[in-house]
Amino acid sequence: METKKRILTGIRPTGALHLGHYVGALENWVRLQESYECFFLIADYQALGDHMDDIDGIRSSVLEVTLDWLAVGLDPAKSTFEVQSYVPQHAELHMLLSMVLPLSWLQRNPTLKSEMESLESEHKTLSLGFYNYPASQVADILLPRAHLVPVGDDQLPHIEMTREVARRFNRLFAPVFPEPDALVGRVPRLVGIDGQAKMSKSLGNCIYLKDDEAEVTNKVRRMFTDPTRIHATDPGHVEGNPVFIYHDVFNKDVDEVNELKERYKAGTVGDVEVKRRLAKALNEFLEPIRARRGEYEVRMDDVKDILRDGSSRARVTAEETMNEVRDAMRLRYTE
Ligand code: TRP
């Protein structure tokens, strides 16, 4: 049997997943698990970096995220679901790679820089662990020796750094690690329902995968549209209009979307109608996801088993890599 290439990707357990996660990453994960050996990581260590004050939140999010994954169709029979702290080799490799990683690489990482600025603006203490998290992410990816990392576009600097660390380790010690490629989803940045550039929990502008029908309809009703349009009979703008962006992304009925766009531009359809159709399309899209979530919600013991089993499988792969790393770094004194 031909061995499959590997994927490692993951998410911090800091809340339920939303539509932005879906089109930015999850959709790719579901598709790719057919052709890759996938490791899906719940990065609880990483979550401690900026959520130390909310350990309860991390704890409940570990299970929420797992449910969201199962709901969208990630399949634990095909893929490995692992919890970072259940596979302590993540911490070991992180520590060793932090010797290989020049500090200047962290200092110039744009994602880290902007996250540090926002933590500072909230007057939060910046811990060494937070500063170090991109290095921990490098270790996450290299631990199973992944070839591909499907992620949201804010993660690209971390993948680039992973490639650089792999190259440097391989040159300094031995060729242990492949240089992984990044893969960004169909919609790298989905606008929020408030029209802000990004759907994000901290901005409070999300539609969650687990929102029920009424919540979705309500949120769509509140959505920002064309700010220049006052009456339903005014010609409206479709480009950059969040309601139409969502129609393009989620409404499978392309003819309906095109017709609505024409009528909107001509001023012959109102926001209420366009939103009503969007709510319907979104609910159709979310319905099978909710149904699958419901099937698992009543079997939480099985959900926990999925994390336990996946983590123990991940530990086996991790230990294989660590043995090569310990050999390469000559951490052998008694053999
Ligand atoms: N930084 C990612 C997030 O915030 C989570 C993550 C941790 C990750 N380790 C990873 C993503 C490795 C991809 C690969 O969601």
Side-chain angles (χ1 to χ4, degrees):
M1 200 189 89
E2 202 193 331
T3 56
K4 288 181 174 174
K5 289 201 166 184
R6 284 192 183 149
I7 279 178
L8 180 131
T9 188
I11 225 147
R12 291 177 313 148
T14 57
L17 305 186
H18 52 63
L19 292 176
H21 289 116
Y22 188 85
V23 289
L26 290 172
E27 185 179 63
N28 273 340
W29 303 8
V30 174
R31 178 172 57 83
L32 292 165
Q33 68 180 341
E34 306 302 328
S35 46
Y36 283 79
E37 181 186 358
C38 293
F39 293 82
F40 298 124
L41 175 73
I42 301 192
D44 61 333
Y45 284 155
Q46 192 179 109
L48 288 171
D50 58 346
H51 287 72
M52 264 276 284
D53 53 351
D54 185 21
I55 289 186
D56 284 341
I58 295 177
R59 286 174 52 81
S60 59
S61 298
V62 168
L63 297 175
E64 284 294 329
V65 166
T66 310
L67 283 171
D68 282 332
W69 284 358
L70 292 164
V72 297
L74 296 185
D75 182 352
K78 295 182 186 139
S79 302
T80 299
F81 292 21
E82 56 160 316
V83 180
Q84 198 176 27
S85 64
Y86 282 18
V87 184
Q89 288 86 348
H90 281 281
E92 185 183 358
L93 187 59
H94 172 201
M95 184 275 292
L96 289 173
L97 292 181
S98 71
M99 310 298 170
V100 175
L101 199 160
L103 199 54
S104 60
W105 294 4
L106 279 178
Q107 284 162 340
R108 69 176 192 221
N109 182 308
T111 295
L112 181 62
K113 267 195 215 167
S114 74
E115 288 168 341
M116 279 172 53
E117 278 161 21
S118 61
L119 283 179
E120 269 166 351
S121 71
E122 294 164 34
H123 306 288
K124 286 206 180 177
T125 310
L126 281 177
S127 67
L128 177 58
F130 178 79
Y131 191 66
N132 220 345
Y133 97 78
S136 118
Q137 187 153 339
V138 167
D140 295 340
I141 296 166
L142 295 183
L143 189 60
R145 285 177 280 188
H147 303 92
L148 187 68
V149 192
V151 279
D153 70 345
D154 56 328
Q155 303 292 307
L156 292 177
H158 304 334
I159 318 297
E160 191 49 43
M161 205 164 80
T162 307
R163 297 170 61 85
E164 288 170 328
V165 173
R167 214 174 301 144
R168 192 169 157 90
F169 183 99
N170 292 346
R171 180 167 53 75
L172 290 174
F173 299 108
V176 174
F177 299 115
E179 284 178 40
D181 291 313
L183 179 71
V184 173
R186 175 164 69 106
V187 184
R189 246 157 231 248
L190 183 69
V191 289
I193 59 171
D194 59 355
Q196 293 208 62
K198 195 180 166 185
M199 187 174 275
S200 124
K201 189 181 65 154
S202 54
L203 298 173
N205 60 4
C206 301
I207 294 177
Y208 291 98
L209 299 176
K210 66 171 189 178
D211 281 350
D212 65 23
E213 201 176 323
E215 269 167 312
V216 170
T217 306
N218 215 328
K219 286 180 179 177
V220 170
R221 226 179 263 143
R222 285 172 18 221
M223 255 178 98
F224 280 42
T225 61
D226 175 1
T228 65
R229 195 176 194 231
I230 295 158
H231 309 288
T233 51
D234 296 344
H237 296 91
V238 165
E239 288 80 33
N241 181 331
V243 176
F244 280 100
I245 294 175
Y246 282 36
H247 263 298
D248 277 334
V249 175
F250 295 103
N251 191 341
K252 293 200 180 73
D253 188 344
V254 178
D255 291 337
E256 178 185 48
V257 176
N258 287 336
E259 184 215 301
L260 286 175
K261 284 181 181 171
E262 288 316 312
R263 289 174 56 205
Y264 198 80
K265 286 191 272 191
T268 59
V269 65
D271 282 329
V272 174
E273 175 69 8
V274 179
K275 287 180 168 181
R276 193 181 61 76
R277 307 250 202 133
L278 176 62
K280 182 162 171 287
L282 282 176
N283 279 318
E284 273 168 17
F285 165 79
L286 288 170
E287 199 38 51
I289 296 177
R290 288 182 198 128
R292 223 168 307 135
R293 195 176 215 280
E295 286 166 26
Y296 282 103
E297 265 169 351
V298 296
R299 304 166 35 200
M300 286 313 287
D301 286 343
D302 293 337
V303 173
K304 290 175 185 170
D305 278 343
I306 288 168
L307 294 179
R308 270 193 288 263
D309 293 349
S311 299
S312 74
R313 258 185 288 148
R315 282 194 296 270
V316 175
T317 310
E319 198 48 24
E320 287 165 8
T321 301
M322 286 318 300
N323 273 320
E324 288 198 28
V325 168
R326 294 178 202 122
D327 281 341
M329 296 182 80
R330 301 197 298 140
L331 303 169
R332 305 290 194 196
Y333 309 102
T334 54
E335 282 159 21

